[in-house]
Amino acid sequence: VVSTQSTGSSGINAEYGGVSQEDDMRRAALIRSLIGPNNKLMMDANQIWDVKDAVTRMKQLKVYDPYWIEEPTSPDDVDGHAQISQALREHGIGVATGEMCQNRVMFKQFLKLHAMQFCQIDSCRIGGVSEVLAIMVLARKFGVPVVPHAGGVGLCELVRHYSMIDYVLISGKIDDRMCEYAEHLHEHFTDPAVIRNARYVLPDQPGFSCEMRDDAIECYQFPKGSYWKTS
């Protein structure tokens, strides 16, 4: 948390839904004390709760002023997300979801039922650029900010393009918009993601920034890579 704050980041996303509510409260209190009252605290439940538990837990965690709860329940439960969104609206807590959705039809249902307040596209799970662009246009129609999911291998390299496309061609806005970032595994790509002053830097090479370095492929390809031969 301290390292992330030192980059100038205005928020942090951490996982919740642990073994007990006491543990979640302890974690939230610790992170809020580190980031202060003016930075955003996002919470990610990784689908762990049912609808009732999600609402109950977040109403208790609201004292730490969470900006959103991410994937509070099963990612396919559109109605459940809608119920959670409605229950938490009066507390100023949004619902972020979408990283497990594969197509624009699922996103249409989430958006139409007001089941998401933050649209989290995943550049690998969705079937290609055209599908992602359609979802981003849908999000604009419903006034929901696009906040791409990232953090896995190569996702940061990919999603920076979508955030920039959203700003330049679709929404023209940066308010309520963020793009996740995790500081690992970028060294395996020929055009790695770069962060400066807590902002993604425009890539200076053509393409989608997903080409991996030859030495990384040689090392880690399974089962013939040198990494597996020495493990």
Side-chain angles (χ1 to χ4, degrees):
V1 174
V2 174
S3 175
T4 300
Q5 287 296 102
S6 68
T7 67
S9 174
S10 61
I12 191 163
N13 195 9
E15 295 187 2
Y16 292 80
V19 293
S20 68
Q21 180 67 356
E22 290 73 21
D23 184 62
D24 282 348
M25 297 290 281
R26 178 194 60 80
R27 176 176 297 206
L30 176 60
I31 295 176
R32 177 54 76 190
S33 70
L34 291 171
I35 67 175
N38 299 321
N39 290 312
K40 293 181 175 66
L41 172 58
M42 283 79 74
M43 300 181 175
D44 187 349
N46 281 308
Q47 314 160 25
I48 195 72
W49 297 320
D50 61 22
V51 172
K52 182 179 179 180
D53 284 340
V55 173
T56 300
R57 291 257 191 147
M58 291 310 300
K59 283 185 176 179
Q60 293 172 325
L61 286 163
K62 71 178 182 179
V63 295
Y64 299 108
D65 192 24
Y67 189 60
W68 76 41
I69 178 62
E70 180 177 339
E71 287 198 317
T73 192
S74 169
D76 299 319
D77 188 355
V78 181
D79 180 69
H81 277 81
Q83 292 181 54
I84 296 168
S85 295
Q86 182 176 7
L88 297 182
R89 187 173 296 120
E90 65 179 292
H91 303 290
I93 304 171
V95 170
T97 193
E99 68 178 82
M100 297 295 288
C101 295
Q102 304 89 359
N103 57 66
R104 62 185 182 273
V105 176
M106 284 293 294
F107 279 94
K108 179 194 71 172
Q109 295 174 35
F110 273 101
L111 291 164
K112 191 171 183 179
L113 292 177
H114 307 290
M116 61 165 60
Q117 287 71 60
F118 299 93
C119 177
Q120 291 188 304
I121 57 172
D122 185 289
S123 56
C124 289
R125 199 173 304 279
I126 298 170
V129 175
S130 297
E131 193 79 357
V132 172
L133 293 179
I135 293 164
M136 292 167 70
V137 171
L138 274 171
R140 181 183 184 277
K141 173 180 174 62
F142 286 93
V144 174
V146 173
V147 182
H149 169 251
V153 182
L155 281 180
C156 294
E157 279 66 34
L158 296 171
V159 298
R160 55 183 171 166
H161 294 269
Y162 287 130
S163 282
M164 293 167 191
I165 290 170
D166 177 49
Y167 173 62
V168 174
L169 296 177
I170 300 176
S171 72
K173 297 179 179 180
I174 58 173
D175 53 310
D176 292 330
R177 283 162 169 78
M178 293 166 281
C179 192
E180 286 187 309
Y181 178 78
E183 184 59 65
H184 68 152
L185 304 174
H186 305 296
E187 66 273 15
H188 300 303
F189 292 86
T190 60
D191 186 16
V194 175
I195 294 290
R196 187 177 301 143
N197 298 324
R199 300 288 188 272
Y200 276 94
V201 178
L202 279 166
D204 58 7
Q205 298 182 32
F208 206 7
S209 306
C210 57
E211 182 180 356
M212 298 192 74
R213 294 168 54 95
D214 291 339
D215 57 340
I217 296 173
E218 187 282 326
C219 180
Y220 293 104
Q221 62 178 330
F222 184 81
K224 297 181 179 180
S226 58
Y227 174 84
W228 305 104
K229 293 179 181 179
T230 57
S231 296

